Amino acid sequence: MILKSDGRRRPQIRRHGAATRSPCRTIANMRPLPAALRLEADSQDGLFTCRQARDAGLSPSTLDGGVGHRIQRVLPSVYAAFTGALTLQQRLRAAVLYGRIGGDHDVAILGALAACHLHGLPSARDVQVVTLLLPHERKLANNGFVVVRRTTNTGQIWRLSGLPLCAPGRAIIDATRSLDRVDHVRALVAEGVQRGKTTVGELAAALATGESAGSRLARSVLAEVADGVRSVAEAHLYSLVVGAKFPEPLWNADMYDASGSWAGCPDAIWPEANLIVEVESREWHLAPELWAATMKRNNRLSRLGYDVQQLPPSRIDSQPA
């Protein structure tokens, strides 16, 4: 619109065929990424570094000109060859690429909850902060969703989903340092042991060689596990029995029948009272075949002359008496 002499607006008229002003475009958003860089990004969950872009012939100014069109900067010197939100896998990849700034041979591995997620522990589904373990001499700072932890010993380096990460025992212990509820710590420890990802000994070693800050809950839970308590629900029973000053049962002891055949490994056994208590958490028996196996086990234990009491975790919490 333009103004008439009397101050009123009138339509602005353009002559047919007159050139119109177009937005400024850079090479990065006028054409696809170079083929070599595209291949590299495809192998890295759609991500690439500034150094990789420069090696492919893109200058930093050209690269930044494409931000918001076909590419986006997700961390310093780390770009995505797409726009929109990153998946968890892409955030994990971005963190590793960020950790390699300054040299491809630097050791940068995932730890804590991020590593627990890659190891397949259900309690680590919601990873908001990605912990990156770096050699102590590296000076990389926290940035965005990445938290840097410097260490003099990364321990054994695993590789899952194409990403480097620490061993399960260390990942679990490091993850517990950021948790403030003992049940969450119990769940993470129980998952690691029950799913065969780690052992009590490996967890204890990771705890002994790590920093003491934030380790109180992990130490408490490992003490429970050392007594044979292997799940959150069983830990509730353990706390109830100890708190009520009941006679100490046998925790998770193998039982055999007269022929020497294995009959089961109950949660708690009071031999003097011929009493067995099993905490049946639905979390571990969602599949019908697992529930059927539990019933067969309890029947075998009953034939040994024991009174087998099955308790849901909710009853232990709501009706401790």
Side-chain angles (χ1 to χ4, degrees):
M1 303 288 284
I2 59 175
L3 295 178
K4 293 182 178 181
S5 57
D6 58 5
R8 290 182 298 169
R9 293 180 180 273
R10 68 181 180 187
Q12 184 175 2
I13 300 175
R14 290 184 182 274
R15 294 185 181 276
H16 180 70
T20 57
R21 186 179 180 184
S22 61
C24 178
R25 294 185 178 182
T26 65
I27 295 174
N29 55 22
M30 288 179 64
R31 68 185 185 192
L33 295 177
L37 184 58
R38 171 59 66 180
L39 287 174
E40 203 153 26
D42 287 346
S43 70
Q44 298 173 159
D45 300 305
L47 303 165
F48 60 90
T49 65
C50 185
R51 177 176 177 178
Q52 290 170 338
R54 187 171 60 249
D55 291 345
L58 289 182
S59 67
S61 59
T62 300
L63 186 63
D64 287 338
V67 172
H69 186 77
R70 288 186 177 178
I71 61 176
Q72 61 176 320
R73 186 192 297 106
V74 296
L75 288 168
S77 294
V78 179
Y79 295 82
F82 56 86
T83 57
L86 275 65
T87 65
L88 177 54
Q89 171 73 14
Q90 288 166 338
R91 287 195 290 128
L92 299 182
R93 173 74 66 183
V96 171
L97 292 177
Y98 174 64
R100 291 176 178 172
I101 293 175
D104 289 336
H105 300 292
D106 289 328
V107 177
I109 68 173
L110 299 168
L113 273 182
C116 289
H117 167 77
L118 290 173
H119 282 300
L121 302 184
S123 291
R125 284 188 293 263
D126 186 22
V127 181
Q128 299 298 323
V129 174
V130 179
T131 300
L132 192 64
L133 302 180
L134 291 176
H136 202 271
E137 62 271 14
R138 290 296 308 279
K139 302 303 180 183
L140 210 61
N142 299 343
N143 199 291
F145 52 82
V146 177
V147 172
V148 175
R149 293 285 180 267
R150 294 178 181 83
T151 177
T152 56
N153 179 23
T154 57
Q156 182 184 7
I157 299 177
W158 291 51
R159 185 169 290 274
L160 295 172
S161 298
L163 295 169
L165 65 156
C166 66
R170 174 163 187 172
I172 291 170
I173 292 300
D174 285 352
T176 62
R177 301 181 194 280
S178 63
L179 302 177
D180 56 5
R181 289 185 54 182
V182 68
D183 276 2
H184 292 167
V185 176
R186 283 171 176 160
L188 203 55
V189 170
E191 286 171 2
V193 175
Q194 290 182 341
R195 292 170 180 265
K197 304 295 183 179
T198 188
T199 66
V200 175
E202 289 169 348
L203 290 169
L207 188 60
T209 57
E211 58 187 63
S212 59
S215 65
R216 180 181 62 84
L217 292 181
R219 294 181 187 280
S220 173
V221 169
L222 277 189
E224 294 174 353
V225 174
D227 281 340
V229 181
R230 295 176 296 185
S231 74
V232 173
E234 293 172 27
H236 285 184
L237 177 63
Y238 176 89
S239 298
L240 181 62
V241 168
V242 172
K245 295 183 171 57
F246 265 53
E248 183 78 6
L250 299 177
W251 298 102
N252 302 120
D254 289 312
M255 298 185 69
Y256 300 85
D257 60 21
S259 68
S261 298
W262 183 79
C265 182
D267 296 332
I269 313 168
W270 284 269
E272 304 84 358
N274 289 333
L275 175 64
I276 286 175
V277 171
E278 289 277 52
V279 182
E280 302 298 356
S281 173
R282 280 192 64 202
E283 181 178 356
W284 305 109
H285 301 295
L286 291 177
E289 61 272 16
L290 294 180
W291 180 253
T294 297
M295 294 299 98
K296 289 181 180 179
R297 177 203 63 196
N298 289 348
N299 289 337
R300 290 196 303 267
L301 295 173
S302 295
R303 287 196 292 270
L304 296 179
Y306 280 82
D307 177 15
V308 181
Q309 296 290 324
Q310 295 176 262
L311 301 177
S314 58
R315 188 176 178 192
I316 296 176
D317 293 337
S318 62
Q319 299 176 312

Coordinates of all heavy atoms in Angstrom, one line a residue, residues 218-254:
A218 N 22.0 -46.0 46.3 CA 22.5 -47.1 45.6 C 23.2 -48.1 46.6 O 23.0 -49.3 46.5 CB 23.5 -46.7 44.6
R219 N 23.9 -47.5 47.6 CA 24.5 -48.4 48.6 C 23.4 -49.1 49.5 O 23.6 -50.3 49.8 CB 25.4 -47.5 49.6 CG 26.6 -47.0 48.8 CD 27.5 -46.1 49.8 NE 28.5 -45.5 49.0 CZ 29.6 -46.0 48.6 NH1 29.8 -47.3 48.9 NH2 30.5 -45.4 47.9
S220 N 22.3 -48.4 49.8 CA 21.3 -49.0 50.6 C 20.6 -50.2 49.8 O 20.4 -51.3 50.3 CB 20.2 -48.0 50.9 OG 19.1 -48.6 51.5
V221 N 20.3 -49.9 48.5 CA 19.7 -51.0 47.7 C 20.6 -52.2 47.4 O 20.2 -53.3 47.5 CB 19.2 -50.4 46.3 CG1 18.8 -51.4 45.4 CG2 18.1 -49.4 46.6
L222 N 21.9 -51.9 47.2 CA 22.8 -53.0 47.0 C 22.9 -53.9 48.3 O 23.1 -55.1 48.2 CB 24.2 -52.5 46.6 CG 24.4 -52.2 45.1 CD1 25.9 -51.9 44.8 CD2 23.9 -53.3 44.3
A223 N 22.8 -53.3 49.5 CA 22.8 -54.0 50.7 C 21.6 -55.0 50.7 O 21.7 -56.1 51.2 CB 22.8 -53.1 51.9
E224 N 20.4 -54.5 50.2 CA 19.2 -55.3 50.2 C 19.5 -56.5 49.2 O 19.1 -57.6 49.4 CB 18.0 -54.5 49.7 CG 17.6 -53.4 50.7 CD 16.5 -52.6 50.1 OE1 16.2 -52.7 48.9 OE2 15.9 -51.7 50.8
V225 N 20.0 -56.2 48.0 CA 20.3 -57.2 47.0 C 21.2 -58.2 47.5 O 21.1 -59.4 47.2 CB 20.8 -56.5 45.7 CG1 21.2 -57.6 44.7 CG2 19.7 -55.6 45.1
A226 N 22.2 -57.8 48.3 CA 23.2 -58.7 48.8 C 22.5 -59.7 49.7 O 23.0 -60.9 49.9 CB 24.3 -58.0 49.6
D227 N 21.4 -59.3 50.4 CA 20.7 -60.2 51.2 C 19.7 -61.1 50.4 O 19.0 -61.9 51.0 CB 19.8 -59.4 52.2 CG 20.6 -58.9 53.4 OD1 21.7 -59.5 53.6 OD2 20.2 -58.0 54.1
G228 N 19.7 -60.9 49.1 CA 18.9 -61.8 48.2 C 17.6 -61.2 47.7 O 16.8 -61.9 47.1
V229 N 17.4 -59.9 48.0 CA 16.1 -59.3 47.6 C 16.4 -58.8 46.1 O 17.2 -58.0 45.9 CB 15.7 -58.1 48.5 CG1 14.4 -57.5 48.0 CG2 15.6 -58.6 49.9
R230 N 15.5 -59.2 45.2 CA 15.8 -59.0 43.8 C 14.8 -58.1 43.0 O 15.0 -57.9 41.9 CB 16.0 -60.4 43.1 CG 17.1 -61.2 43.6 CD 17.1 -62.5 42.9 NE 15.9 -63.3 43.3 CZ 15.7 -64.6 42.9 NH1 16.6 -65.2 42.1 NH2 14.6 -65.2 43.2
S231 N 13.9 -57.6 43.7 CA 12.9 -56.7 43.0 C 12.4 -55.7 43.9 O 12.5 -55.8 45.1 CB 11.8 -57.5 42.4 OG 10.9 -57.9 43.4
V232 N 11.7 -54.7 43.3 CA 11.2 -53.6 44.1 C 10.1 -54.2 45.1 O 10.1 -53.8 46.3 CB 10.5 -52.5 43.2 CG1 9.8 -51.5 44.1 CG2 11.6 -51.9 42.4
A233 N 9.3 -55.0 44.6 CA 8.2 -55.6 45.5 C 8.8 -56.4 46.6 O 8.4 -56.4 47.7 CB 7.3 -56.5 44.6
E234 N 9.8 -57.2 46.3 CA 10.5 -58.0 47.4 C 11.2 -57.1 48.4 O 11.2 -57.4 49.6 CB 11.5 -59.0 46.8 CG 10.9 -60.1 45.9 CD 11.9 -60.9 45.2 OE1 13.0 -61.0 45.7 OE2 11.6 -61.4 44.1
A235 N 11.7 -56.0 47.9 CA 12.3 -55.0 48.8 C 11.3 -54.4 49.8 O 11.6 -54.2 51.0 CB 13.0 -53.9 48.0
H236 N 10.1 -54.2 49.3 CA 9.0 -53.7 50.2 C 8.8 -54.8 51.3 O 8.6 -54.4 52.5 CB 7.8 -53.5 49.5 CG 7.8 -52.2 48.7 ND1 6.7 -51.7 48.0 CD2 8.8 -51.3 48.4 CE1 7.0 -50.6 47.3 NE2 8.3 -50.4 47.6
L237 N 8.7 -56.1 50.9 CA 8.5 -57.1 51.9 C 9.7 -57.2 52.9 O 9.5 -57.3 54.1 CB 8.4 -58.5 51.2 CG 8.2 -59.7 52.1 CD1 7.0 -59.6 52.9 CD2 8.2 -61.0 51.3
Y238 N 10.9 -57.0 52.4 CA 12.1 -57.0 53.2 C 12.0 -55.9 54.3 O 12.3 -56.1 55.5 CB 13.3 -56.8 52.3 CG 14.6 -56.7 53.1 CD1 15.4 -57.8 53.4 CD2 15.1 -55.4 53.5 CE1 16.6 -57.7 54.0 CE2 16.3 -55.3 54.1 CZ 17.1 -56.4 54.4 OH 18.3 -56.3 55.1
S239 N 11.7 -54.7 53.8 CA 11.5 -53.6 54.8 C 10.5 -53.8 55.8 O 10.6 -53.5 57.0 CB 11.2 -52.3 54.0 OG 12.3 -52.0 53.1
L240 N 9.4 -54.4 55.4 CA 8.3 -54.7 56.3 C 8.7 -55.7 57.4 O 8.5 -55.5 58.6 CB 7.1 -55.3 55.6 CG 5.8 -55.6 56.4 CD1 5.3 -54.4 57.0 CD2 4.8 -56.2 55.5
V241 N 9.4 -56.8 57.0 CA 9.8 -57.8 57.9 C 10.9 -57.3 58.9 O 10.8 -57.5 60.1 CB 10.4 -59.0 57.1 CG1 11.1 -60.0 58.1 CG2 9.3 -59.8 56.4
V242 N 11.8 -56.5 58.4 CA 12.9 -56.0 59.2 C 12.3 -55.0 60.2 O 12.6 -54.9 61.4 CB 14.0 -55.4 58.4 CG1 15.0 -54.6 59.2 CG2 14.7 -56.4 57.6
G243 N 11.4 -54.1 59.7 CA 10.8 -53.1 60.5 C 9.9 -53.6 61.6 O 9.8 -53.1 62.7
A244 N 9.2 -54.8 61.4 CA 8.4 -55.4 62.4 C 9.1 -56.3 63.3 O 8.5 -56.9 64.2 CB 7.3 -56.1 61.7
K245 N 10.4 -56.4 63.1 CA 11.3 -57.3 63.9 C 10.8 -58.8 63.9 O 10.8 -59.5 64.9 CB 11.4 -56.8 65.4 CG 12.1 -55.4 65.5 CD 12.2 -55.0 66.9 CE 13.1 -53.8 67.0 NZ 12.6 -52.6 66.2
F246 N 10.4 -59.2 62.7 CA 10.0 -60.6 62.5 C 11.3 -61.5 62.5 O 12.3 -60.9 62.2 CB 9.3 -60.8 61.2 CG 7.8 -60.7 61.3 CD1 7.1 -59.7 62.0 CD2 7.0 -61.7 60.8 CE1 5.8 -59.6 62.1 CE2 5.6 -61.7 60.9 CZ 5.0 -60.7 61.5
P247 N 11.1 -62.8 62.8 CA 12.3 -63.6 62.6 C 12.8 -63.5 61.1 O 12.0 -63.4 60.2 CB 11.7 -65.0 62.9 CG 10.5 -64.8 63.7 CD 10.0 -63.5 63.3
E248 N 14.1 -63.5 60.9 CA 14.6 -63.4 59.6 C 14.4 -64.6 58.8 O 14.7 -65.7 59.2 CB 16.1 -63.1 59.7 CG 16.8 -62.9 58.4 CD 16.6 -61.5 57.9 OE1 16.0 -60.7 58.6 OE2 17.1 -61.2 56.7
P249 N 13.7 -64.5 57.6 CA 13.5 -65.6 56.7 C 14.7 -65.9 55.9 O 15.7 -65.2 55.9 CB 12.3 -65.2 55.9 CG 12.6 -63.7 55.7 CD 13.2 -63.2 57.0
L250 N 14.6 -67.0 55.1 CA 15.6 -67.3 54.1 C 15.1 -66.5 52.8 O 14.0 -66.7 52.4 CB 15.7 -68.8 53.8 CG 16.2 -69.6 55.0 CD1 16.2 -71.1 54.6 CD2 17.6 -69.2 55.4
W251 N 16.0 -65.7 52.3 CA 15.6 -64.9 51.1 C 16.1 -65.6 49.8 O 17.3 -65.9 49.7 CB 16.1 -63.5 51.2 CG 15.7 -62.7 52.3 CD1 16.4 -62.4 53.5 CD2 14.4 -62.0 52.5 NE1 15.6 -61.6 54.3 CE2 14.4 -61.4 53.7 CE3 13.3 -61.9 51.7 CZ2 13.3 -60.6 54.2 CZ3 12.2 -61.2 52.1 CH2 12.2 -60.5 53.4
N252 N 15.1 -65.9 48.9 CA 15.5 -66.4 47.6 C 16.4 -67.6 47.7 O 17.4 -67.7 47.0 CB 16.2 -65.3 46.7 CG 15.3 -64.1 46.6 OD1 15.7 -63.0 47.0 ND2 14.1 -64.3 46.0
A253 N 16.0 -68.6 48.5 CA 16.8 -69.8 48.7 C 16.2 -70.9 47.8 O 15.0 -71.1 47.7 CB 16.8 -70.3 50.1
D254 N 17.1 -71.6 47.1 CA 16.6 -72.8 46.3 C 16.1 -73.9 47.1 O 16.7 -74.2 48.2 CB 17.8 -73.3 45.4 CG 18.2 -72.3 44.3 OD1 17.2 -71.8 43.6 OD2 19.4 -72.0 44.1

